[in-house]
Amino acid sequence: MAKHKLSNLDIDIYTYTLYNSLRLFIAPKNNFNNIYVTFSTKYGSNTREFTPIDKKEMIKVPDGVAHFLEHKMFEQEDGSDVFTFFTEHGIDANAYTTTDKTTYLFKGPEDFKEALNFLLDYVQAPYFTYENVEKEKGIIDQEIDMYKDDPYTRLYEGIIYNSFIEEPIKYPIIGTSESINSITKDDLYTCYNTFYHPSNMFLVVTGNVYPEEVIKIVEENQSKKNFIKPKEIQLKTYDEPDEVAKKE
């Protein structure tokens, strides 16, 4: 475990890397009562073309897969509800997808060990079926329609789309109705198996915690699971011209 001091903020950051290459960042704030935890993968909407972890040729996935995958990670094989668990423990939970990462989080002062184990377990146990993938398409379609009525989103997405030529950042994080409806269970498993390996993820814990305790909980949790040997992920790179797609 290494300690890094942020002098201007009077915060100590402790870093630790597990045997499976999962990285931990711990910022104890013992004068706080709350605890905030994020579990992230370095995979967002910008990643449209890549070589799957067990393949040799590059593929292109539909726009919106990363966000779709975020939604489906809350689907449990036993039918239990992730948010019900957190609510019963007085904890607030959520998730979000950006252009370069997907994050699962919780915050609350109670039952830290149970909540942390649950977070690690549900994110590391994907369960996708034809039926639950098809069901989700309608839900995300409604979300897309909702954003179409939001002036800020329309303005932002329009500016980004008209600014970039090659970079995938020009496309909506959520995808389009057409791209969402083309996503399959296999697409989700391909992306999950490639980008949700511990070596491509990191855990951040902030609040009233002790670094040694956090490390012990995570190490015990991860030791009960099997992971393939980490492999370098091959991503497509884009040569963005030094001009805008649409000047006006």
Side-chain angles (χ1 to χ4, degrees):
M1 178 171 61
K3 179 180 177 180
H4 312 272
K5 188 169 187 63
L6 303 182
S7 301
N8 292 340
L9 298 176
D10 193 27
I11 295 176
D12 293 328
I13 305 292
Y14 295 83
T15 59
Y16 185 79
T17 303
L18 273 68
Y19 76 96
N20 60 11
S21 299
L22 175 64
R23 298 196 68 193
L24 275 59
F25 300 86
I26 307 163
K29 295 288 289 181
N30 300 122
N31 57 335
F32 279 53
N33 185 45
N34 208 4
I35 301 173
Y36 189 89
V37 179
T38 61
F39 189 27
S40 304
T41 172
K42 291 181 279 187
Y43 170 55
S45 63
N46 276 7
T47 305
R48 305 169 79 221
E49 299 180 68
F50 61 92
T51 302
I53 208 69
D54 55 347
K55 304 293 182 183
K56 294 183 178 180
E57 295 184 2
M58 192 164 286
I59 65 169
K60 182 178 180 180
V61 294
D63 291 335
V65 169
H67 173 260
F68 200 113
L69 187 53
E70 172 217 313
H71 274 231
K72 294 317 299 171
M73 290 312 304
F74 291 97
E75 192 90 36
Q76 299 292 286
E77 187 171 3
D78 62 4
S80 61
D81 183 84
V82 168
F83 290 106
T84 297
F85 170 87
F86 285 115
T87 300
E88 289 176 347
H89 288 263
I91 296 169
D92 184 26
N94 211 333
Y96 62 87
T97 303
T98 67
T99 56
D100 60 355
K101 71 176 183 293
T102 306
T103 295
Y104 304 85
L105 62 93
F106 72 81
K107 56 183 176 179
E110 305 295 336
D111 300 328
F112 170 66
K113 181 176 180 179
E114 293 85 349
L116 179 54
N117 274 309
F118 189 78
L119 173 69
L120 293 168
D121 288 344
Y122 88 77
V123 174
Q124 293 181 326
Y127 177 63
F128 313 134
T129 66
Y130 172 81
E131 290 76 16
N132 69 35
V133 169
E134 291 303 306
K135 177 188 70 175
E136 200 68 33
K137 291 179 179 180
I139 296 172
I140 296 180
D141 246 339
Q142 291 179 355
E143 190 175 351
I144 291 172
D145 287 340
M146 178 186 70
Y147 283 120
K148 287 179 180 178
D149 287 333
D150 179 58
Y152 173 82
T153 300
R154 295 291 289 166
L155 182 62
Y156 174 79
E157 290 184 350
I159 291 173
I160 293 296
Y161 183 82
N162 288 325
S163 296
F164 291 90
I165 297 174
E166 298 291 340
E167 281 288 342
I169 194 174
K170 70 181 293 173
Y171 301 108
I173 292 172
I174 198 172
T176 64
S177 293
E178 293 74 17
S179 67
I180 291 305
N181 281 290
S182 69
I183 292 174
T184 67
K185 176 188 73 172
D186 291 339
D187 291 331
L188 298 182
Y189 273 119
T190 294
C191 294
Y192 182 90
N193 292 333
T194 300
F195 298 105
Y196 278 68
H197 189 279
S199 61
N200 195 53
M201 303 185 75
F202 57 96
L203 183 79
V204 180
V205 181
T206 306
N208 190 12
V209 296
Y210 295 99
E212 296 82 3
E213 177 190 10
V214 175
I215 292 171
K216 182 180 179 181
I217 294 171
V218 178
E219 281 190 324
E220 288 180 354
N221 179 283
Q222 298 296 280
S223 68
K224 300 173 184 176
K225 302 170 183 176
N226 296 317
F227 301 99
I228 65 171
K229 186 178 179 181
K231 298 180 181 179
E232 184 179 356
I233 301 174
Q234 302 294 327
L235 305 177
K236 180 175 179 178
T237 57
Y238 301 88
D239 186 14
E240 182 67 28
D242 189 19
E243 57 186 82
V244 295
K246 207 171 187 180
K247 294 184 178 180
E248 296 180 359

